[in-house]
Amino acid sequence: MGKALIEKGQIYRNEEAWELFSNLITEITPSKVFVIADENTNKHCLPYFLKKINFEKSPEIITIPAGEIEKNISTCLKVWEILSDKGADRTSLIINLGGGVVTDLGGFVASTFKRGLRFINVPTSLLAMVDASVGGKNGVDLGHIKNQIGVINLPEMVILDTAFLETLPSEHITSGLAEMLKHGIIQSEAYWKRIKNINRENKVELNTLIWDSIEIKKAIVAKDPFEKNLRKTLNYGHTLGHAIESYFLENPNKKTLLHGESVAAGIILATYISKDLYGFPENKLQDISESMFKHFPKQTFSKKDIEAIINLLIFDKKNRNGKVLFVLLEDIGRHKTDCVVSNKLIFRAFEYYKNF
Amino acid sequence: MGKALIEKGQIYRNEEAWELFSNLITEITPSKVFVIADENTNKHCLPYFLKKINFEKSPEIITIPAGEIEKNISTCLKVWEILSDKGADRTSLIINLGGGVVTDLGGFVASTFKRGLRFINVPTSLLAMVDASVGGKNGVDLGHIKNQIGVINLPEMVILDTAFLETLPSEHITSGLAEMLKHGIIQSEAYWKRIKNINRENKVELNTLIWDSIEIKKAIVAKDPFEKNLRKTLNYGHTLGHAIESYFLENPNKKTLLHGESVAAGIILATYISKDLYGFPENKLQDISESMFKHFPKQTFSKKDIEAIINLLIFDKKNRNGKVLFVLLEDIGRHKTDCVVSNKLIFRAFEYYKNF
């Protein structure tokens, strides 16, 4: 294959991706290459990554501790300082090798160091592949509020290699599934049917569904890059999902939930609310709830938990004028944005979730 | 005057600026307005600012301590947290009222909060008016390294009202003059002659020269927005100037220099080096040195100081592949970029400075 044109922000697959990546390195001749990884991807993904590419000089590896709790400004500060000490300049290249925490944080660090270095994302978790890899959003949490600080800036390219999934613990595959299920619900009855019955042991099937899921997200982002309307549907299940995730993260008596686990709960809740407010079909609510509980364990929420979760909703980025705004559905693939939902209805949705 | 179109990033003057600003507020109807000021501008500039605009609701005032030392990520964190607590959302508007520290830091805070809020810059110092107000650069220092973290992002508009200059101590006017003198040296013999003989007590003359200085910077930025070549000339005198400023800032035995004071020294040093390497005319070097020392006091540099300053050069953002790169001049208005300069020559330049 000759030199192909690489389109900024685009996702390339498997061998084609690695070849284009090599071309890119030759083309931009970075002064230095830095790989940002976390403890897990340093151990499980870095050896494979380094075998895929012939670097003239070994890249510098910057390893951060693993976990959502590390996705904050203080970790950024450490990485900026390492970049500074190791002499990163404007022609250096940053490669983010990891899950959503690494690609979100690394993308932000790169976009702001010396007002912006080139970066490449190599998502290694299913969640990062189907969600964080599209659309150029990056950033970190502020206290317990998710993704509060960040910018929108495209990576030079995204390398999608599903071989990395073999390094993932099973519950992390499940976590990524939540976003794929969401893509079905917000966009396409056909995809929903295929994804809810996925046989995750079948790698060919999983790989096809991953790519189709990415295509769904790409199409949405392309139609509405500035999140005026349609792109907000990607937030389906996330208004309550993020609040649940934040609440469990900051509460010492709760186990930390994976992003997908929180989103799965958020999807059931949003779908119940959709039925109540916009007549989302009851049989499909039943179908969605069943499918979610097939993959994700039920969480317990006390009245106090629910009150605290509702209080966290005010920090959602989609809000305006102090009003909490939901994305809801009239049916699969038919969305309503900027929906105001009463606290009473949110409590009823949690009742439905508990009694399912 | 009817509704005029406001061009993003543009600078508007005096009464026209305030009128356009009122129109903008009516047009975008921000959910909330926040003013970021420092202790000084809160006291000396905010009352004037608030009289100029009829806000429906009083804006929230966020006051940071004054001084370059506050231009860091930890101050950003405090401002982000206040924005979060006070319910800033994506339709909120941030107004940065102050000198370069406030507009640089406030622009970065706004550009990164919830991935970007709208902001307006109201520069109140001469330096911020003639330098920081053009080109959309923002950011903060990392330790003692200046502007290491930031992005490029344009404000909705810049309000230039020279009435604010009357609140400034005299040495701050001098500090801003350094950038105006630089604009003459890098771009135009005619402007250089006018600015070096400026009578700063004559307000009409000062105002005209400020606007012309802005026009020079705007023309350079427009020709080379991505700083491939020409825009690098705006860095003239800043390679050593920034290193001197950083060194004096972090050294407890030195008084903190104003930006313009460091840049003035940097300009003399860079012009000496230009003469040595590229035959910059000796009589003009003499003229520039005299003009600088007319406005700016001579600083003392020991051998140890100079060594430490040279060590700081490696952090300059214009560097590539670990090489320190200078912008130099063959003559007034004729630049050379990416010039490699030996440490020995830098020492000789300091000798020239000391013995002048």
Side-chain angles (χ1 to χ4, degrees), chain A residues 31 89 112 114 148 150 321, chain B residues 31 89 112 114-115 148 150 321:
Chain A
S31 59
D89 64 35
T112 52
K114 298 193 188 225
Q148 192 79 335
N321 291 313
Chain B
S31 59
D89 63 35
T112 51
K114 299 192 188 226
R115 300 200 191 93
Q148 194 79 335
N321 292 314

Side-chain angles (χ1 to χ4, degrees), chain B residues 73-180:
Chain B
I73 283 291
S74 132
T75 307
C76 293
L77 204 50
K78 283 176 207 150
V79 180
W80 283 323
E81 278 165 0
I82 295 171
L83 288 172
S84 214
D85 290 346
K86 302 261 183 197
D89 63 35
R90 277 191 185 155
T91 63
S92 297
L93 175 71
I94 303 215
I95 295 161
N96 301 310
L97 179 73
V101 172
V102 169
T103 56
D104 279 8
L105 181 141
F108 179 65
V109 162
S111 301
T112 51
F113 189 75
K114 299 192 188 226
R115 300 200 191 93
L117 305 190
R118 286 194 183 94
F119 67 102
I120 285 172
N121 284 344
V122 188
T124 59
S125 75
L126 181 56
L127 182 60
M129 288 180 189
V130 298
D131 191 31
S133 68
V134 188
K137 286 188 179 176
N138 61 47
V140 295
D141 305 338
L142 182 67
H144 52 263
I145 313 165
K146 291 201 38 128
N147 304 321
Q148 194 79 335
I149 308 302
V151 296
I152 295 190
N153 188 27
L154 291 173
E156 296 302 309
M157 69 182 292
V158 178
I159 297 176
L160 186 88
D161 188 333
T162 46
F164 287 119
L165 295 180
E166 283 158 46
T167 67
L168 274 191
S170 165
E171 70 268 25
H172 282 260
I173 297 279
T174 317
S175 179
L177 264 183
E179 298 292 341
M180 297 171 75

